[in-house]
Amino acid sequence: MADKLADADRRKRRDLKSFYGLEGEANGEVPAGGESTKPAASTDPCDINSPHFQPDVYLNKLIQERSLVELMEQEQTMTKDIRSLDSDMQTLVYENYNKFISATDTIRKMKNDFKKMEDEMDHLATNMSKITTFSASISDTLQDRRHQITKLAGVHSLLKKLQFLFELPARLKKCIEMEAYSQAVRYYTKAQRVLHQYSHMPSFQGINRDCDAIIQQLCTTLRQQFKEKESTPKQLAECVDLLLQLDEPPEELCDEFLSHARQKIDEDLQDLDRQIKLQSGEAVPVQEDRPAKAFMNTPMDVLEFVDAGCNGFLSNMCLVIASYNDMFLSRTQTDERLDNIALRKLVLFVNDLMEQYFDFVRQRVQLERETGDNTILVRALDRFHRRLQAMNKLLPDTDFSRAGTEIVSKAAKDRVGHYLQTLKQHFADALTDIRQNLAAPRLVGKHDGVAKLAELLSNMQGSVVEQIKSVLNNLQAFIAADITFAMKPYFRGPFCNQDVREGLVVGFVKHICAVCNEFCESSSDRGSVPPALLLILSRYCIDLENATISYLLTLTEEQFLVEERAAGSPVADLCNEAKSAAQRLLNHFVRVQGLTISQMLRKSVETRDWLNTIEPRNVRAVMKRVVEDMTAIDLQVGQLYEEGVRRERSSDSSRRTHPHSMSQQNKRLQWSYSPSVDNSLMSNIQKLFSEKIEVFSAVEFSKVSVLTGIIKISLKTFLECVRLRTFGRYGLQQIQVDTHYLQLYLWRFVSDENLVQVLLDEIVCSSVHRCVDPVMMEPSVIDLICERG
Amino acid sequence: MEDEAPVIYGLEFQARSLTAQAAETDRIRFLVGTQSLRSENQVHHIDFDDENNVINKNVFLHREGEVWHISASTFDTSLLTTCYNKTSETKSELRSAVWRLPDDVDPSSPADDHSSSHSPLELLCHLDSGDHDVKGILWHPTGDGQTILGLSEDRILTWDLNVASSSASLTDTITLQSKGQPRLTCGRWNPHHNCAQIATANEATIRGWDLRSKQQTYQMEGAHGQLVRDLDFNPNRQYYLASCGDDCRVKFWDTRNCSEPLKVLSDHSHWVWSVRYNHFHDQLVLTSSSDSRVILNNVVTLSSEPFGHLVEQDDDSDSDSQQDRPQEAPKDGVIATYEEHEDSVYAVDWSTADPWVFASLSYDGRLVINRVPRAEKYKILL
C-alpha cells in the first residue's frame, strides 16, 4: 500500500511538472527513482502513464492477452484509479485557490504601506537641503581666520628651529660636558645642513663657527678617547661611529683604530714572547707588582701557552676584527672603494700580527722538543688549530689555517725527528750495553759466557721493538679521533706516510744499517769493536731482514692507516739493505777473527829459528791455541747461526772416525820417499783441477761458512809466512806435525774438508821447498805426537 | 787483440824478486832472481821484443844463494844488486852484493833455448853490513850519485860505491829508535826534493827520513791494519805516496798529512805485496797480491794530470779535441785485473822504456808481461 501511495504521489508531482514545462528535468530525475521499467515505458504505447499512450493499442493488447477475469479485474482497478485521480485533482485545485486568495490580500496591504513611506521621504529631503545652506554660510564666515592660523603656526615652527640653532652651541657644550657625545652629534648633524645652507648670513655664520669649533673640540675629545689605552672596545666602537657620522675620513680612522688595537695586541704578544724566553731560559722572571700578573712569571707548559695565546691574543684579535667589521665594513652607506681600502688595511694588519703570533707559537712548539709528553702538545696544537679555523670564519678572505697547519705539521715532524733521535740513542745505548756485557768478566765458566750472546741479541731485539712500539703509540696521539687537524687529509697524509713511516720507521732501520756499516768501515783499523758484537749485529740485521722490518712496517701502516700504494720505500729495498749490512758485518767478523788468528800464526812463524830447531816432540802451543780459539768461535757462532750445509763427502763413514785419511797418508808417504821430485809440479797439477781459493771472500749466513772463512784466512797466512822462512830438517818436521794436528781438529768446522786439506798440503809443500835438508817425518810418528798432544 | 795478449815466461825455480832494468831506456828489460835452496840460483835478464811479441833472455848464475831482492842500477845498465840468502846448516843470513852483467850479453837468444851453460854474474863488490840481514837495496833515483842505501833490520845503511875501484864503503848508518825490535820491511827513495828523503816501513808504520840530517821527518802510525808490504812514490807529484799491506788495501797518502789517507783501494782479496806507479803516467798504479792477481788501477784524481792530458793542441785539431773533451771524464777505478798467475804474485814492475808494458812475477816462477789495455792507453794519450 505504501508503495502504491508513494507511486501516486510521484505521479502527481510529475504531472505538475509536465504542466509547468519541467518535463525535461523530470526525465533526468527519473532514473534516480529506481524504476527500471520507466525509460522503456516512456515510449511504450501501452503504458498508461506515458505521453505516448495509445488507448486503442492498449485496449487491443489487453483484450488479446488477458482472460476475462483478469479483464474484469483490470476494469475494476481502472475505475478505482480514475476515481482516486479525480479526488486528487479536486484537492489540488482547492489548495491552489486558497493560496491565491491569501496572496491577493498581502499585495493589497503592501500597497497601503508604501504610500506612507513616500511622504516621509519627501520631508527628509527638504530638511537636508536646509542644512546644506546653513553650513555653507558658516564656512564662508570662517574662511579668513583659518588662513591666519596656518600662517602663524608656520612662523612658530620656524622660530622654534631658529631658537634651536641659536641654542645649539650651548646645547652642544652642555652635552659635551655631560659626555653625551652621541646626543651632541645628533644635534649637530641635524643642524649642520641648515647652517651650511645659510652660512652666508652673518648670524648663522657665527653659529656655524661656534658649532664647528665645538664639534672640532668634540672630535679631538673623541679621538683622545680613541687613543686612550683603557677605553673598552665598545666605547671605541661608539667613538668611531660618532666620528664617522662627523664625516671624519674613514681611512684615517681605520688606521687609528688599528694602531690602537695594535697596542693592546702587542701587549699580548709581548707576554707570549716573555713566556718563550722564560721557557728557553733566556730571561729571568721579573718581579711584578701586580699579583694578578704573577702567574706570567712562571713558565707555562705548552698547553697553557696556547691557551694564553688563544684567550689573549686571538680573542682580542677576533674582537678587533669583529668591531672593525661592524664599524667600517658592514656600513651600508660607505662606497665600494672605501670598503676595499678598509678591508685591505684590515687584512694587512691581521696578517702582520698573525705572522708574529705564528712565529711565537712556532718557537714555543720547538722548545717543546725536549719533553716527552705528547698529549699536552697534541691538545695544545689541536686547540690552536681549532681557534684558527674560527678566525677563518671571521675573516673570509685570508687563510690562516694553512699557516696553522704548517706549524702543526712542523711540530709533528719535529716530534717524529725527536723520537727518531731517541730511538737512535736507545740503539746506541743497547750497543753500549752489549759491549759492557761482553767486556764484563765471565763469572761462571766459559759456557755461560758464550750462552750470553743469544740472550744479548734477544734482549736488544726486544727492547728496540718495544721502544719503537711505544714511540708509535705516543705518536698516535697526533691522529686521535678527537683531534681536528688529525682528520685533515693535508695533515694526515704527509704525517702518517712521510713522517712516521718514512721518517721514523724507515729512517731508523736505515740508521741501524748505517751504524752497522760504520762498524765494518772505520773501526777495521782501530779494531776496537769486539768481534762478538759484530756477530750479534749481523744476526740482528738478518732478523731485521727476515721478520722485523715487515712487522714494523705493517704495524705502522695499520696503526697509522697508511695506504699501501702511497707507501714510500718498499719493504724489499729495506730488507736488501739490512741483508747487505748483515753480510758486511759477518764478512767483517770473519776478517777480524781471521786476522787475530793470522797474527798469532805469523808471529809464531816469524819469531822462531827454524834452521836450528830440535826434533819435534810436541805440537806447538800456538796450534793448540788456534784450535781452542776456533772452538770458541764455533760456539759463539753456533749460538746465533744455523749449522749450514757441508759439502757431501765420501760415503766411507770411517773417514769421520779416522780423519787422517788414506789418501793423506799416501801423499805423505810419497813425499817422504821422494823428496827430490819437483813437488811444485805436483801441486801445480793439483791446482789445475781445484778451484782458486778466494781467501777473503763473502761468507754465507751459516756457522760452517763463517768458520771456513776464518780458517781459510788463517791457513793462507800460515802459508805465506812459511814461504818467507828457511827451514832445517826438524823445522820442516815441526811444520809437518803442526799441520797434521790442524788437519785433525779443523776438518769438523768447515764445509769442505778438502779445502783444509789443500791448504795444509800447500803449507807442507812450501816448507819442503824452503827446507835446506828436506827429510820428512814418518807419518806414524806424526800420528803419535799429535795424539799425545 | 793479438798483441794485447800477455806473454808468459816460465822460470825453473821459484822466484820473488823482479825489477826493471832502470838505466835502460830503449829496450824493455827486466831482471828476475830465483829462489832455490838446493839448486844453483839464477838471475834472468829478460828482454821483451815488443814488435814481435817475443821474450829473449840471458841467464846468469848467482852462486851465492837464493835471491830475495834485486835492484838495478839507475845509471849503468850492467850493474845490479841482489840481497841473497846465505844458508848453512845452522844459519841463514841475508847479504847483499853489487854485480856486473858479463859483457858478452847476447839478448837475442830466444826464451825457449835451454842451453845449460850459463855464465855467472861478475861480482863487483860485497856490501858490508856488519852481521845484519839486508832486506833491500835502493839505488839513487836519478842516477847522478854513487850512493846506495840498504835496509837492514832496524837501520838504514849508506854505502859509497866506487865502480872504478870495485869497492863500496859503508859511510853512514841511521838507526831506527823504537820499542821492541823494529825491522824494516821495505823502503823507497823519494825522487823529489833533490833525492834527500826516503820512506821506510816497519810493521804497520810508515816513516819518512831526511838523509842529510839523518832524522825522521814524518811518521804514519798504523798506516795499515796489518804489516806494510810495499811503498812507492808518485814520480811526478811531490809528497804523494802509495802503500800496500796485509790488510788487503792500497792507500794513497800525502806525506804532509799523515793522519788520513787520501784514498783507499780494497780490490784485492789477500795481502797486497807490491804497488808501483807508472813512471810516465802516474794515474796508472799496479798492485800485485797473494790472491794471485795483478790489478791495474786508474787513480787519476791523485795524479799529476787530474784533468786528463793537458797538451797544447794544434789549431787544426782544435775542433776534434773539443768534441773529445766531454768524453774524457777521468774517473778512478780498476782498469783491468790480470789473472794469468796461479800462485801468489810477490812482485810487479813497470818497464822503464815503454810506459805501457809491465811485468809480474809469481812464486811458482811464472813471469807475465802485460800491456795497458789499448782503450785506456788512447784515453790517456788523446
Side-chain angles (χ1 to χ4, degrees):
Chain A
M1 261 320 274
D3 238 10
K4 206 152 186 180
L5 265 177
D7 203 25
D9 192 32
R10 202 175 295 139
R11 204 167 51 228
K12 241 188 284 176
R13 224 178 287 153
R14 193 171 54 234
D15 290 344
L16 271 173
K17 270 182 189 162
S18 67
F19 178 76
Y20 289 111
L22 290 166
E23 187 56 38
E25 282 179 37
N27 262 351
E29 224 174 53
V30 171
E35 276 179 60
S36 53
T37 49
K38 273 280 157 73
S42 57
T43 50
D44 190 359
C46 303
D47 186 353
I48 203 159
N49 292 326
S50 160
H52 308 284
F53 180 63
Q54 283 167 334
D56 298 338
V57 181
Y58 183 66
L59 200 61
N60 284 340
K61 200 181 169 193
L62 275 183
I63 291 165
Q64 276 164 16
E65 286 176 4
R66 308 287 166 104
S67 63
L68 185 64
V69 185
E70 279 174 333
L71 280 175
M72 297 276 281
E73 246 171 63
Q74 184 77 18
E75 195 254 330
Q76 271 174 358
T77 48
M78 279 281 221
T79 38
K80 217 159 100 194
D81 279 354
I82 290 168
R83 229 173 269 145
S84 75
L85 279 172
D86 274 345
S87 69
D88 279 355
M89 200 152 73
Q90 274 176 357
T91 2
L92 267 174
V93 169
Y94 179 72
E95 274 170 14
N96 281 343
Y97 182 73
N98 269 350
K99 279 175 190 167
F100 272 122
I101 300 265
S102 66
T104 322
D105 284 350
T106 316
I107 289 168
R108 195 176 298 136
K109 207 175 160 200
M110 275 172 72
K111 226 180 204 170
N112 283 338
D113 288 348
F114 270 112
K115 191 159 261 168
K116 220 163 133 190
M117 220 148 76
E118 224 166 71
D119 290 344
E120 275 173 23
M121 282 307 277
D122 283 344
H123 187 62
L124 183 65
T126 46
N127 280 352
M128 281 307 284
S129 68
K130 266 185 204 162
I131 291 171
T132 319
T133 45
F134 275 127
S135 114
S137 67
I138 289 170
S139 80
D140 278 351
T141 47
L142 286 181
Q143 190 92 26
D144 287 351
R145 295 278 179 88
R146 203 185 296 138
H147 275 301
Q148 277 180 337
I149 289 171
T150 330
K151 217 173 177 178
L152 283 175
V155 170
H156 176 72
S157 75
L158 191 65
L159 284 173
K160 232 181 176 176
K161 277 183 192 165
L162 282 174
Q163 190 186 6
F164 173 77
L165 283 181
F166 286 126
E167 279 176 8
L168 187 61
R171 257 173 212 259
L172 289 176
K173 256 179 204 155
K174 203 170 181 188
C175 280
I176 289 169
E177 267 167 33
M178 286 163 67
E179 295 193 339
Y181 301 123
S182 57
Q183 183 92 16
V185 171
R186 205 176 325 127
Y187 286 150
Y188 178 70
T189 41
K190 243 191 233 169
Q192 195 182 21
R193 206 171 44 83
V194 183
L195 284 175
H196 275 292
Q197 199 176 341
Y198 297 103
S199 54
H200 56 278
M201 292 157 93
S203 54
F204 284 112
Q205 213 170 5
I207 295 171
N208 194 11
R209 218 173 24 242
D210 287 354
C211 283
D212 278 351
I214 292 168
I215 288 302
Q216 212 62 47
Q217 195 192 332
L218 175 61
C219 275
T220 38
T221 325
L222 283 174
R223 286 196 181 209
Q224 203 60 44
Q225 200 176 22
F226 198 63
K227 275 173 196 154
E228 258 167 44
K229 269 190 182 182
E230 277 73 28
S231 37
T232 59
K234 204 178 159 206
Q235 275 176 321
L236 282 179
E238 205 185 277
C239 282
V240 170
D241 195 35
L242 294 178
L243 284 170
L244 280 177
Q245 284 185 32
L246 290 175
D247 274 347
E248 287 291 317
E251 285 174 43
E252 219 172 276
L253 284 180
C254 289
D255 285 344
E256 259 182 55
F257 179 77
L258 289 180
S259 73
H260 174 69
R262 178 155 211 143
Q263 286 176 351
K264 287 197 117 180
I265 289 172
D266 275 347
E267 273 173 35
D268 289 332
L269 283 176
Q270 267 162 23
D271 281 349
L272 295 181
D273 191 27
R274 219 184 50 241
Q275 271 305 317
I276 288 170
K277 284 192 179 132
L278 277 178
Q279 187 71 29
S280 59
E282 278 176 34
V284 276
V286 227
Q287 201 56 49
E288 192 74 48
D289 298 337
R290 288 149 66 192
K293 283 228 162 189
F295 76 97
M296 295 295 280
N297 271 333
T298 51
M300 315 181 196
D301 66 24
V302 68
L303 186 59
E304 283 169 344
F305 177 84
V306 169
D307 264 353
C310 289
N311 294 339
F313 173 78
L314 283 182
S315 312
N316 280 337
M317 199 73 191
C318 289
L319 212 59
V320 168
I321 295 173
S323 40
Y324 189 92
N325 273 341
D326 282 350
M327 280 178 241
F328 299 107
L329 298 177
S330 316
R331 298 164 68 92
T332 43
Q333 67 266 39
T334 42
D335 61 317
E336 193 86 341
R337 197 183 58 85
L338 270 183
D339 252 9
N340 278 342
I341 291 174
L343 187 62
R344 210 170 55 231
K345 276 188 200 297
L346 177 65
V347 167
L348 274 178
F349 169 77
V350 171
N351 278 347
D352 183 31
L353 283 172
M354 285 309 274
E355 216 161 274
Q356 285 189 34
Y357 176 60
F358 285 149
D359 245 21
F360 286 139
V361 173
R362 208 172 286 141
Q363 284 177 26
R364 182 64 184 87
V365 167
Q366 267 172 5
L367 284 178
E368 204 55 23
R369 196 178 299 172
E370 280 74 29
T371 58
D373 197 2
N374 256 340
T375 44
I376 285 184
L377 177 67
V378 172
R379 265 169 52 206
L381 289 174
D382 185 36
R383 199 158 300 178
F384 171 70
H385 190 256
R386 270 184 222 214
R387 273 313 282 260
L388 278 183
Q389 285 190 319
M391 279 281 290
N392 259 7
K393 277 172 209 150
L394 213 57
L395 201 63
D397 289 343
T398 48
D399 191 10
F400 297 119
S401 69
R402 173 167 303 177
T405 313
E406 260 163 35
I407 291 182
V408 171
S409 299
K410 182 84 186 358
K413 203 178 184 115
D414 282 352
R415 203 99 270 260
V416 169
H418 170 60
Y419 276 126
L420 182 61
Q421 223 44 54
T422 325
L423 282 179
K424 285 180 180 173
Q425 186 56 43
H426 183 264
F427 184 64
D429 289 349
L431 290 186
T432 320
D433 248 25
I434 293 179
R435 269 169 188 256
Q436 277 168 355
N437 263 318
L438 289 173
R442 296 163 178 174
L443 294 175
V444 202
K446 206 172 180 181
H447 253 275
D448 185 56
V450 172
K452 272 199 305 195
L453 287 190
E455 197 186 309
L456 288 174
L457 172 67
S458 65
N459 278 350
M460 178 172 81
Q461 272 172 332
S463 80
V464 167
V465 168
E466 273 316 302
Q467 192 74 12
I468 292 179
K469 273 189 189 168
S470 79
V471 163
L472 287 180
N473 269 338
N474 283 342
L475 282 176
Q476 268 194 310
F478 278 96
I479 56 156
D482 57 336
I483 306 294
T484 42
F485 63 75
M487 294 303 135
K488 307 281 179 191
Y490 52 75
F491 170 76
R492 199 189 179 94
F495 174 70
C496 291
N497 194 13
Q498 266 142 44
D499 294 351
V500 176
R501 187 186 184 274
E502 294 298 308
L504 188 76
V505 182
V506 174
F508 183 54
V509 171
K510 283 189 173 160
H511 168 74
I512 292 180
C513 293
V515 167
C516 292
N517 287 340
E518 219 170 276
F519 274 122
C520 304
E521 289 302 323
S522 62
S523 53
S524 61
D525 294 337
R526 283 176 253 141
S528 60
V529 184
L533 179 64
L534 295 175
L535 198 60
I536 291 175
L537 278 178
S538 135
R539 181 70 224 181
Y540 181 63
C541 285
I542 286 280
D543 289 343
L544 271 186
E545 186 230 342
N546 284 341
T548 319
I549 287 178
S550 56
Y551 167 71
L552 285 177
L553 284 181
T554 321
L555 186 76
T556 316
E557 275 157 23
E558 270 169 16
Q559 286 192 349
F560 289 86
L561 307 169
V562 181
E563 295 130 44
E564 199 66 50
R565 60 187 165 76
S569 33
V571 182
D573 283 5
L574 279 182
C575 285
N576 282 341
E577 208 168 309
K579 183 160 191 179
S580 73
Q583 181 75 60
R584 234 174 276 169
L585 280 167
L586 200 60
N587 288 349
H588 190 59
F589 171 76
V590 167
R591 197 174 263 234
V592 167
Q593 294 287 36
L595 289 181
T596 320
I597 293 177
S598 296
Q599 206 72 6
M600 220 152 62
L601 285 168
R602 187 161 75 88
K603 285 275 176 302
S604 82
V605 176
E606 276 179 1
T607 50
R608 201 176 170 110
D609 182 0
W610 293 97
L611 266 175
N612 299 317
T613 186
I614 49 157
E615 188 167 3
R617 307 219 178 281
N618 274 315
V619 179
R620 282 187 303 147
V622 69
M623 295 301 156
K624 291 182 181 165
R625 179 77 198 283
V626 167
V627 172
E628 262 172 36
D629 280 9
M630 287 307 295
T631 318
I633 294 169
D634 182 59
L635 275 172
Q636 273 189 348
V637 180
Q639 283 286 316
L640 301 175
Y641 281 98
E642 297 79 32
E643 181 73 19
V645 260
R646 286 170 191 281
R647 193 164 292 178
E648 204 50 53
R649 297 289 290 157
S650 72
S651 54
D652 183 7
S653 60
S654 63
R655 283 186 53 86
R656 296 269 146 146
T657 43
H658 305 289
H660 37 288
S661 61
M662 281 310 284
S663 64
Q664 168 88 1
Q665 284 186 354
N666 282 343
K667 222 176 269 171
R668 282 177 189 223
L669 287 177
Q670 213 176 348
W671 288 343
S672 47
Y673 291 131
S674 56
S676 54
V677 167
D678 191 5
N679 285 310
S680 71
L681 183 68
M682 203 184 71
S683 75
N684 276 345
I685 291 170
Q686 195 187 345
K687 266 186 216 161
L688 274 182
F689 294 102
S690 62
E691 285 169 38
K692 199 177 245 182
I693 298 164
E694 284 292 325
V695 181
F696 285 102
S697 59
V699 292
E700 288 159 29
F701 296 107
S702 69
K703 190 180 87 175
V704 166
S705 177
V706 169
L707 286 160
T708 309
I710 298 171
I711 288 171
K712 268 197 298 191
I713 293 172
S714 313
L715 293 186
K716 177 77 176 175
T717 305
F718 197 7
L719 170 69
E720 291 295 339
C721 292
V722 161
R723 285 179 173 184
L724 287 170
R725 304 292 298 176
T726 310
F727 294 85
R729 178 199 297 175
Y730 296 129
L732 169 65
Q733 290 181 357
Q734 181 68 59
I735 294 290
Q736 262 187 297
V737 171
D738 289 349
T739 50
H740 186 68
Y741 179 81
L742 289 179
Q743 160 73 13
L744 274 181
Y745 289 97
L746 291 185
W747 67 268
R748 72 184 90 174
F749 299 125
V750 299
S751 59
D752 186 2
E753 252 179 81
N754 221 356
L755 191 84
V756 177
Q757 183 75 60
V758 167
L759 280 167
L760 289 174
D761 282 354
E762 223 170 312
I763 292 170
V764 175
C765 197
S766 285
S767 37
V768 168
H769 272 296
R770 301 294 316 143
C771 184
V772 208
D773 179 20
V775 177
M776 302 296 274
M777 201 176 214
E778 283 296 326
S780 55
V781 183
I782 297 174
D783 275 351
L784 208 70
I785 293 173
C786 287
E787 269 158 37
R788 203 177 54 200
Chain B
M1 273 264 143
E2 202 215 324
D3 64 347
E4 287 223 356
V7 181
I8 298 175
Y9 170 69
L11 283 76
E12 292 156 69
F13 303 109
Q14 291 173 329
R16 59 164 78 224
S17 53
L18 163 77
T19 185
Q21 202 171 358
E24 177 65 69
T25 50
D26 296 330
R27 304 193 57 99
I28 303 166
R29 282 188 172 165
F30 295 98
L31 292 166
V32 182
T34 64
Q35 274 194 320
S36 172
L37 285 166
R38 296 185 287 280
S39 319
E40 207 157 53
N41 282 291
Q42 304 161 340
V43 168
H44 289 235
H45 182 240
I46 307 286
D47 178 276
F48 177 61
D49 185 347
D50 194 24
E51 268 156 37
N52 302 316
N53 220 25
V54 192
I55 286 176
N56 301 316
K57 56 141 190 183
N58 270 302
V59 180
F60 304 103
L61 292 179
H62 184 274
R63 293 205 168 107
E64 292 285 332
E66 50 178 11
V67 183
W68 283 84
H69 185 265
I70 193 164
S71 56
S73 157
T74 46
F75 58 91
D76 187 342
T77 49
S78 65
L79 292 180
L80 68 134
T81 57
T82 59
C83 297
Y84 54 89
N85 196 3
K86 207 172 180 181
T87 50
S88 63
E89 277 302 308
T90 53
K91 62 177 179 180
S92 144
E93 293 169 315
L94 278 169
R95 292 290 173 263
S96 53
V98 185
W99 306 89
R100 184 188 288 283
L101 294 171
D103 281 335
D104 53 339
V105 171
D106 180 15
S108 59
S109 72
D112 49 349
D113 174 23
H114 278 281
S115 54
S116 51
S117 58
H118 299 307
S119 54
L121 287 170
E122 292 166 13
L123 177 71
L124 192 73
C125 60
H126 284 285
L127 293 170
D128 170 34
S129 61
D131 265 341
H132 302 288
D133 287 353
V134 181
K135 281 296 265 284
I137 299 290
L138 306 174
W139 290 86
H140 194 283
T142 49
D144 55 350
Q146 311 264 304
T147 321
I148 298 177
L149 292 183
L151 304 173
S152 165
E153 289 177 356
D154 61 344
R155 61 198 67 193
I156 302 162
L157 308 171
T158 315
W159 289 283
D160 203 354
L161 177 68
N162 192 336
V163 183
S165 65
S166 298
S167 66
S169 53
L170 185 66
T171 54
D172 251 323
T173 305
I174 304 171
T175 310
L176 171 62
Q177 307 290 341
S178 175
K179 281 183 288 183
Q181 286 189 317
R183 299 175 92 167
L184 298 175
T185 51
C186 58
R188 206 75 187 158
W189 203 322
N190 189 343
H192 305 289
H193 312 301
N194 219 7
C195 303
Q197 292 185 5
I198 67 163
T200 62
N202 61 303
E203 281 294 311
T205 310
I206 298 173
R207 290 163 206 273
W209 304 88
D210 191 314
L211 291 173
R212 293 162 301 186
S213 65
K214 301 171 184 60
Q215 293 296 315
Q216 184 174 314
T217 49
Y218 54 86
Q219 175 172 351
M220 299 172 199
E221 196 88 53
H224 282 265
Q226 310 270 314
L227 200 73
V228 179
R229 290 278 171 195
D230 198 12
L231 301 170
D232 198 14
F233 279 100
N234 187 320
N236 303 328
R237 199 170 177 190
Q238 298 185 79
Y239 307 114
Y240 279 62
L241 173 70
S243 66
C244 61
D246 285 3
D247 57 358
C248 313
R249 301 191 178 184
V250 180
K251 298 191 180 180
F252 294 87
W253 306 86
D254 184 328
T255 55
R256 294 164 296 186
N257 173 20
C258 298
S259 53
E260 281 294 317
L262 298 167
K263 188 176 175 64
V264 179
L265 305 177
S266 37
D267 302 309
H268 282 292
S269 69
H270 203 248
W271 305 351
V272 187
W273 284 78
S274 170
V275 60
R276 284 288 180 273
Y277 275 109
N278 189 307
H279 305 291
F280 304 92
H281 307 286
D282 50 88
Q283 62 265 53
L284 300 176
V285 175
L286 273 176
T287 55
S288 74
S289 153
S290 39
D291 64 1
S292 52
R293 288 196 184 91
V294 175
I295 293 182
L296 177 60
N297 285 293
N298 188 359
V299 197
V300 69
T301 50
L302 300 178
S303 74
S304 55
E305 296 170 349
F307 306 111
H309 198 53
L310 295 175
V311 175
E312 298 258 336
Q313 302 281 336
D314 291 340
D315 284 336
D316 53 7
S317 65
D318 260 356
S319 54
D320 291 342
S321 69
Q322 269 159 10
Q323 281 166 359
D324 290 344
R325 213 132 289 259
Q327 299 168 2
E328 290 176 28
K331 262 189 204 137
D332 291 359
V334 174
I335 295 171
T337 304
Y338 301 93
E339 314 226 16
E340 283 84 20
H341 293 287
E342 269 153 21
D343 207 331
S344 307
V345 188
Y346 294 129
V348 68
D349 206 356
W350 290 96
S351 161
T352 46
D354 185 333
W356 311 110
V357 174
F358 60 90
S360 56
L361 177 69
S362 59
Y363 191 58
D364 53 8
R366 179 180 296 184
L367 178 83
V368 178
I369 292 180
N370 256 310
R371 293 182 184 83
V372 176
R374 193 159 285 207
E376 193 64 30
K377 180 170 159 182
Y378 291 150
K379 220 187 279 175
I380 291 169
L381 285 180
L382 296 179

